[in-house]
Amino acid sequence: AMEKKKTYIIHMSKSQMPATFNDDHTHWYDSSLRSVSDSAEMLYVYNNVVHGFSARLTPQEAESLETQPGILSVLPELKYQLH
Amino acid sequence: TTRTPTFLGLDKSADFFPESDAMSDVIIGVLDTGVWPESKSFDDSGLGPVPASWRGQCESGTNFSSANCNRKLIGARYFSRGYETTLGPIDESKESKSPRDDDGHGTHTSTTAGGSVVQGASLFGYAPGTARGMATRARVAVYKVCWVGGCFSSDILAAMDKAIDDNVNVLSLSLGGGISDYYRDSVAIGAFAAMEKGILVSCSAGNAGPSPYSLSNVAPWITTVGAGTLDRDFPAYVSLGNGKNFSGVSLYKGNSLPNKMLPFVYAGNASNMTNGNLCMTGTLIPEKVKGKIVLCDRGINARVQKGSVVKAAGGAGMVLTNTAANGEELVADAHLLPATAVGQKTGDVIRDYLTSDSNPTATILFEGTKVGIEPSPVVAAFSSRGPNSITPEILKPDIIAPGVNILAGWTGAVGPTGLEEDDRRVGFNIISGTSMSCPHVSGLAALLKGAHPEWSPAAIRSALMTTAYTAYKNGRAIQDVSTGKPSTPFDHGAGHVDPVSALNPGLIYDITADDYLNFLCALNYTPSQISSLARRNFTCNESKKFSVTDLNYPSFAVSFPAESAARTGSVPSSSIKYSRTLTNVGPAGTYKVTVTSPSSSVRIMVEPETLSFSQMNEKKLYTVTFTAPSMSSSTTSIFGRIEWSDEKHVVGSPVAISWT
């Protein structure tokens, strides 16, 4: 059965974006994601707070993505509470 | 809020805080459960056009349209992809997929920070007065990131990302997660980016007090806010059949109890469940509670739910007792039946009466709202405490502000208890938590930003911290309700906020983004961790020696190495050196340092002892060398103070010294 997917925050190192993407970092993010999963959906692309995006991945896909060039970290989503 | 402006001295400071246009150009972004736009606190009379700097939007969605915004509530967005991806599509019969606040928390915090003036506010007549936010002329933009099922970090990051694009000046987050390192904590990550854009990020410290090491949101680029009480209370006495009276608090309004003593029963003796004393759903035996006053213990389920359970079982009233965790701290609730909350000691005495008297009776006498309560403020028992578990050398919390029994705007979707069975609807509600103290500081930061548009987030926080007070007018130290003793910097940080003084602090401790990056080098962050947090390639200069003690923080937390178990010969001592830079934001002046050393065994040497400033924004460096014998790690922390004064301004910093 498909391993349960979870949401991850993926931090990218923009300085390692291949020139072929002509500065289109969203396209680069998407192609990085596609390299580990055909079905993964991108939730958000961040511009100010993170160079990266959030996506729904299996733990195995997350692990594989972490080894891709330009990926700084793949961190599991956290849940916060009101105080 | 009512009463808080007076308590903070804002009512006398109209001339201090110029109601200039600069004030009404400040935009406070609030990440929370959304907003109830119909609240009177979003009245925009007298406000000019939306600031030209504003880039945000008023998004439409379930039960919310862009027409709901105005010149006070200038922005409203919602973020639910992370929430829905994890928990499934939002059930729009239960919550609004829009900025609309179905909970009340977001309306409460946003109106506390920047609500307009509303005459004749109260909750059922309790806490009556003119309600106003801290920054009545600031604009408010809400970012809904918290839903019935929680607040998810992918949504929080998206909201912070958008708030930065929208050009807010202050961000207020009354939420927190578990304790994780800065590069893994989405609030810390988002706050770093906001800080770089000159946005002050104010966060709640957490409600996990009084345990030590219980703080949330401790990143040094975040303003971390603890909670204190006001000088206001809502007394509701318990009168027992043996003639004794005990203090309690309550916000109950409704049919009074009959004018006679009623049978009184302990919930633990009116249930077949082992935890029947907690008055949880379905645990009370109706025959045993019908028409009686029921004593319930706090814990597990919500306080107001206990009242609802007693009412559903036919009880006439409830006395709710604290446990050791909350001690003598009394938090008032708008219960659905006549009820009052009493402290742990009172609860013990009442429980004894119930077990010893063969025919125990009681009643509850409601006294409404009382002001001028002293001592106040006291640190709330629930307010999370230091030391900072991630970086012990950064003293947290930064400051405390009013967070107990705070009246502010509320949603029209649920009643004041938030319980489904509560069909009452109110415009204002009274609730407690560091969620309430945080927006106080967010609003005060907006006031300072309006008065000093050129100040950085660190400068604003520094002004709030170095002018905070740690003693009452009678000279006695601020108390911690959980101990009944003076609170420490691990409880109150730099002290209780004093906005009027903060307006003219004299000197400030400024911190730039690069200073924070050097701080991360001192933490031995890897280039990848720094890059994740700061979104740039930053290499720590190998030839430079980095130290967390060099971060220009307005307070001091000193961690000496604990002695090794086997110690022979004379007691070794160690010294730790801190450096600080003060920037002059006031008139020319000469400042002299006063050091309060907590004990003769610890030496605090400041060099130089005098700093003279001749112009605005002039910077001067000083060093502090702390010397102490090595002690065992069980040695309790000790606290001192470093103050610079030119006779007109006092620039105060707390010092916390520990052996770890």
Side-chain angles (χ1 to χ4, degrees):
Chain A
M2 177 78 119
E3 268 187 284
K4 189 155 172 46
K5 290 198 169 197
K6 288 198 298 186
T7 300
Y8 293 85
I9 315 289
I10 295 96
H11 296 258
M12 308 287 279
S13 171
K14 262 186 174 174
S15 59
Q16 294 181 46
M17 176 162 53
T20 49
F21 288 98
N22 298 323
D23 258 358
D24 177 352
H25 59 264
T26 305
H27 184 190
W28 177 43
Y29 296 169
D30 193 58
S31 101
S32 302
L33 190 56
R34 292 293 148 248
S35 68
V36 298
S37 164
D38 295 331
S39 63
E41 55 171 306
M42 206 179 265
L43 294 186
Y44 296 104
V45 172
Y46 304 109
N47 294 303
N48 298 308
V49 294
V50 168
H51 284 165
F53 58 99
S54 47
R56 198 86 177 138
L57 298 166
T58 66
Q60 189 185 10
E61 288 167 341
E63 209 172 299
S64 162
L65 184 59
E66 196 136 35
T67 62
Q68 300 289 316
I71 306 278
L72 289 168
S73 60
V74 178
L75 297 176
E77 176 171 58
L78 299 173
K79 192 172 155 186
Y80 289 74
Q81 285 80 35
L82 293 165
H83 284 152
Chain B
T1 68
T2 55
R3 191 66 190 173
T4 315
T6 304
F7 188 70
L8 293 173
L10 290 180
D11 53 339
K12 293 191 294 292
S13 63
D15 45 332
F16 284 114
F17 287 103
E19 292 296 4
S20 64
D21 284 347
M23 193 63 69
S24 64
D25 283 348
V26 180
I27 302 163
I28 304 169
V30 182
L31 271 69
D32 210 299
T33 61
V35 70
W36 194 263
E38 293 79 10
S39 169
K40 290 179 184 166
S41 296
F42 292 113
D43 179 287
D44 65 357
S45 316
L47 280 175
V50 172
S53 60
W54 180 238
R55 298 282 177 277
Q57 274 180 26
C58 192
E59 295 176 354
S60 295
T62 322
N63 308 323
F64 199 96
S65 85
S66 54
N68 285 120
C69 285
N70 62 15
R71 296 193 306 272
K72 164 58 82 175
L73 179 64
I74 62 172
R77 292 185 187 271
Y78 66 100
F79 301 83
S80 64
R81 285 184 222 160
Y83 173 56
E84 293 189 280
T85 305
T86 300
L87 294 184
I90 285 174
D91 174 352
E92 299 197 36
S93 68
K94 288 198 172 63
E95 50 183 336
S96 307
K97 190 170 177 178
S98 74
R100 184 160 293 276
D101 180 10
D102 305 306
D103 174 277
H105 191 277
T107 304
H108 201 277
T109 55
S110 53
T111 56
T112 295
S116 301
V117 176
V118 179
Q119 308 291 343
S122 79
L123 169 63
F124 306 138
Y126 285 104
T130 299
R132 50 158 287 187
M134 294 301 102
T136 52
R137 295 180 58 76
R139 314 308 174 114
V140 176
V142 301
Y143 299 81
K144 182 173 179 179
V145 295
C146 292
W147 305 83
V148 167
C151 326
F152 288 73
S153 60
S154 61
D155 294 328
I156 291 169
L157 280 173
M160 295 179 93
D161 208 66
K162 208 69 196 148
I164 291 169
D165 280 335
D166 293 349
N167 261 348
V168 303
N169 303 106
V170 176
L171 269 177
S172 191
L173 287 87
S174 288
L175 51 88
I179 296 169
S180 59
D181 211 323
Y182 310 128
Y183 73 94
R184 309 182 72 87
D185 176 349
S186 294
V187 169
I189 290 168
F192 194 98
M195 169 277 296
E196 286 183 303
K197 297 289 175 64
I199 299 167
L200 180 135
V201 180
S202 162
C203 292
S204 46
N207 302 336
S211 317
Y213 296 99
S214 54
L215 291 164
S216 297
N217 300 318
V218 294
W221 47 87
I222 287 176
T223 300
T224 313
V225 187
T229 60
L230 283 177
D231 63 343
R232 177 175 66 189
D233 216 345
F234 311 101
Y237 298 94
V238 182
S239 176
L240 297 182
N242 61 8
K244 289 187 179 169
N245 273 348
F246 297 92
S247 299
V249 296
S250 179
L251 297 171
Y252 172 72
K253 201 74 173 183
N255 303 327
S256 304
L257 289 167
N259 198 10
K260 61 175 180 174
M261 303 303 272
L262 290 173
F264 192 18
V265 65
Y266 182 38
N269 299 331
S271 168
N272 294 323
M273 313 291 274
T274 48
N275 59 4
N277 62 312
L278 299 177
C279 298
M280 295 166 77
T281 306
T283 60
L284 295 180
I285 301 168
E287 298 71 40
K288 292 199 171 186
V289 301
K290 190 168 176 46
K292 297 179 182 177
I293 304 270
V294 182
L295 179 74
C296 299
D297 290 329
R298 271 183 75 173
I300 312 282
N301 60 329
R303 303 185 300 269
V304 287
Q305 193 192 52
K306 295 171 190 287
S308 179
V309 167
V310 171
K311 181 175 182 181
M318 174 180 74
V319 175
L320 179 58
T321 80
N322 275 356
T323 59
N326 350 87
E328 299 316 302
E329 174 167 83
L330 299 181
V331 171
D333 292 303
H335 289 288
L336 294 170
L337 82 169
T340 186
V342 297
Q344 178 196 14
K345 295 187 189 104
T346 298
D348 294 343
V349 173
I350 292 178
R351 222 174 278 108
D352 289 347
Y353 165 69
L354 280 168
T355 46
S356 61
D357 194 295
S358 58
N359 178 28
T361 60
T363 189
I364 301 170
L365 308 166
F366 297 93
E367 302 263 306
T369 305
K370 300 286 182 233
V371 293
I373 303 293
E374 292 188 352
S376 58
V378 298
V379 179
F382 61 73
S383 192
S384 290
R385 312 306 170 95
N388 179 339
S389 51
I390 296 179
T391 314
E393 295 85 354
I394 299 293
L395 178 63
K396 289 283 188 177
D398 290 315
I399 203 159
I400 63 172
V404 179
N405 296 333
I406 302 298
L407 177 132
W410 195 246
T411 175
V414 293
T417 60
L419 294 170
E420 204 155 323
E421 57 270 37
D422 186 354
D423 53 11
R424 301 170 298 180
R425 291 296 177 263
V426 293
F428 294 91
N429 195 12
I430 296 172
I431 56 177
S432 302
T434 50
S435 273
M436 286 63 248
S437 56
C438 164
H440 273 91
V441 169
S442 310
L444 297 176
L447 282 181
L448 291 179
K449 187 70 178 176
H452 302 284
E454 74 287 357
W455 279 9
S456 70
I460 292 172
R461 179 188 51 200
S462 174
L464 292 168
M465 287 177 66
T466 62
T467 58
Y469 61 89
T470 57
Y472 303 118
K473 290 186 176 57
N474 61 14
R476 291 223 187 90
I478 287 181
Q479 274 185 28
D480 176 356
V481 78
S482 69
T483 61
K485 295 181 186 135
S487 56
T488 76
F490 284 145
D491 310 323
H492 60 238
H496 191 284
V497 71
D498 177 1
V500 177
S501 304
L503 196 64
N504 292 300
L507 308 173
I508 53 110
Y509 292 90
D510 211 349
I511 303 177
T512 66
D514 280 352
D515 295 335
Y516 287 119
L517 289 172
N518 289 332
F519 165 79
L520 298 177
C521 294
L523 294 180
N524 297 316
Y525 264 39
T526 65
S528 158
Q529 288 166 342
I530 291 180
S531 194
S532 284
L533 193 58
R535 288 147 289 103
R536 70 181 85 163
N537 277 342
F538 179 88
T539 309
C540 299
N541 180 339
E542 301 285 337
S543 63
K544 187 175 172 187
K545 186 176 177 330
F546 295 98
S547 167
V548 291
T549 61
D550 290 337
L551 186 66
N552 202 36
Y553 219 71
S555 56
F556 295 86
V558 187
S559 277
F560 281 106
E563 69 179 348
S564 54
R567 191 185 81 199
T568 54
S570 68
V571 176
S573 72
S574 54
S575 289
I576 301 175
K577 191 169 190 174
Y578 282 64
S579 61
R580 288 291 186 271
T581 300
L582 279 166
T583 301
N584 181 35
V585 293
T590 297
Y591 286 77
K592 288 190 175 24
V593 72
T594 309
V595 176
T596 312
S597 181
S599 91
S600 54
S601 64
V602 176
R603 206 149 54 83
I604 301 177
M605 186 172 67
V606 176
E607 291 169 307
E609 295 185 341
T610 302
L611 295 172
S612 291
F613 296 87
S614 54
Q615 52 197 316
M616 182 65 89
N617 294 324
E618 188 179 356
K619 294 179 183 292
K620 290 283 172 86
L621 181 138
Y622 72 89
T623 62
V624 192
T625 305
F626 299 91
T627 305
S630 65
M631 316 270 264
S632 83
S633 59
S634 62
T635 308
T636 53
S637 302
I638 53 181
F639 305 96
R641 199 161 169 76
I642 292 173
E643 287 186 352
W644 291 91
S645 171
D646 66 347
E647 304 308 319
K648 292 184 289 295
H649 308 86
V650 175
V651 186
S653 294
V655 176
I657 298 172
S658 313
W659 283 264
T660 49

